């Protein structure tokens, strides 16, 4: 969820505010890999980590097979509640991004403005390939959400929903990998020169470039112009 959230925020900044996001890459990495340290230690309280089924590391029963309310509360507080709060937010951001991209595509038709052409090429290169991942995440997390809502409404287990949730949850990595490898722009950039260039771009930042316009009213420019006229003559 953290990686998908970073991708969605990155897309939102690029599409809505038309701002470059390269300077946020280190922040994204820290958020994805370092922030879990802030809360992953909590289940060590009362030894909540333990055998807990196929997809969870936090127990909902103790070692004598009695109910373990602390572990159940941690499951919802650390995963399910944040996930299901994020899902409608990500869905809303996705709708905004798609609507704005649709409007801009209509503006690009028949527009030969160099700035519009550059913006179109940058959107196709940086935004379109990343849209697949939030869509895959939202689609594959919908069956578990429906299953949880059904379980909360009624105590009777709905077997098809459990089977669908059991398939969609572990299948996310495979589908995202497939989308990543099938994208033409991604395959084109998965070459050693592109990887080396991208690595250098991240760790070796170029300094800012500044243009200095030539002023004809300066004394040195007058001398240069006279010398050029003499050479021509």
């Amino acid at each position: 969820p953290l990686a998908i959230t970073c991708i969605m925020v990155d897309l939102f900044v690029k599409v809505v505010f038309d701002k470059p996001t390269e300077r946020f890459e280190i922040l994204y990495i820290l958020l994805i890999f370092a922030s879990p340290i802030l809360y992953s230690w909590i289940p060590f309280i009362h030894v909540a980590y333990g055998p807990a089924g196929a997809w969870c590391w936090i127990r909902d029963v103790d070692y004598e097979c009695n109910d373990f309310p602390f572990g159940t509360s941690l499951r919802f507080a650390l995963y399910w509640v944040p996930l299901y709060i994020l899902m409608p937010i990500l869905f809303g951001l996705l709708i905004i991004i798609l609507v704005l991209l649709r409007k801009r595509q209509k503006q690009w038709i028949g527009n030969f403005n160099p700035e519009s052409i550059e913006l179109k090429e940058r959107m196709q290169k940086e935004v379109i390939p990343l849209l697949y991942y939030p869509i895959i995440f939202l689609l594959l997390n919908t069956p578990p959400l429906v299953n949880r809502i059904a379980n909360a409404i009624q105590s009777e287990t709905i077997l098809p929903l459990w089977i669908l949730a059991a398939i969609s949850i572990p299948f996310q990595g495979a589908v995202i990998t497939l989308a990543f490898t099938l994208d033409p722009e991604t395959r084109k950039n998965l070459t050693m020169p592109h990887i080396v260039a991208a690595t250098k771009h991240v760790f070796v930042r170029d300094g800012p470039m500044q243009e200095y316009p030539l002023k004809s009213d300066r004394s040195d420019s007058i001398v240069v112009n006279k010398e050029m006229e003499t050479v021509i003559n």
Side-chain angles (χ1 to χ4, degrees):
L2 289 176
I4 299 298
T5 302
C6 289
I7 291 176
M8 187 65 76
V9 171
D10 188 83
L11 293 175
F12 188 80
V13 173
K14 287 179 178 177
V15 174
V16 176
F17 299 104
D18 193 19
K19 299 290 184 180
T21 57
E22 287 81 3
R23 64 182 182 274
F24 301 136
E25 290 175 356
I26 301 298
L27 179 62
Y28 294 155
I29 294 173
L30 291 176
L31 180 64
I32 294 170
F33 293 101
S35 63
I37 300 175
L38 299 176
Y39 50 84
S40 60
W41 59 271
I42 297 177
F44 285 110
I45 302 175
H46 299 298
V47 197
Y49 281 126
W55 306 295
C56 193
W57 293 357
I58 302 176
R59 299 181 292 112
D60 58 352
V61 295
D62 59 20
Y63 290 104
E64 296 180 356
C65 296
N66 297 318
D67 290 338
F68 187 46
F70 181 73
T72 303
S73 301
L74 287 182
R75 284 186 176 187
F76 282 90
L78 298 181
Y79 184 75
W80 293 111
V81 171
L83 175 64
Y84 293 144
I85 290 176
L86 272 177
M87 283 187 65
I89 295 175
L90 296 179
F91 185 77
L93 293 179
L94 180 62
I95 295 299
I96 295 173
I97 291 171
L98 292 176
V99 170
L100 288 178
L101 283 177
R102 181 63 178 171
K103 288 182 178 179
R104 290 184 178 179
Q105 284 179 351
K106 293 181 179 179
Q107 295 174 355
W108 291 332
I109 297 176
N111 192 339
F112 298 100
N113 185 357
E115 294 183 358
S116 298
I117 295 175
E118 181 184 359
L119 178 62
K120 178 181 178 181
E121 292 177 352
R122 184 155 56 85
M123 289 294 174
Q124 291 177 343
K125 182 179 179 180
E126 298 179 2
V127 174
I128 302 301
L130 292 177
L131 276 176
Y132 301 122
Y133 308 116
I135 293 174
I136 291 171
F137 174 80
L138 291 172
L139 288 178
L140 292 182
N141 276 279
T142 299
L145 173 61
V146 175
N147 187 39
R148 290 288 171 180
I149 294 174
N151 290 337
I153 295 175
Q154 59 182 24
S155 58
E156 184 180 353
T157 299
I158 303 176
L159 185 59
L161 284 179
W162 273 103
I163 295 175
L164 196 58
I167 293 173
S168 64
I169 291 177
F171 205 50
Q172 294 182 48
V175 177
I176 289 177
T177 302
L178 188 63
F180 181 80
T181 54
L182 290 180
D183 178 64
E185 190 68 30
T186 301
R187 289 203 311 271
K188 185 172 65 177
N189 292 327
L190 284 179
T191 60
M192 188 54 64
H194 281 90
I195 294 174
V196 172
T199 304
K200 289 182 178 179
H201 179 70
V202 171
F203 293 102
V204 182
R205 297 291 186 181
D206 296 330
M209 297 181 63
Q210 186 173 359
E211 295 181 357
Y212 295 93
L214 180 63
K215 295 184 178 180
S216 59
D217 57 344
R218 290 179 52 179
S219 59
D220 54 351
S221 64
I222 296 175
V223 172
V224 172
N225 291 335
K226 289 183 178 180
E227 291 179 354
M228 291 179 64
E229 291 178 359
T230 303
V231 172
I232 293 173
N233 295 330

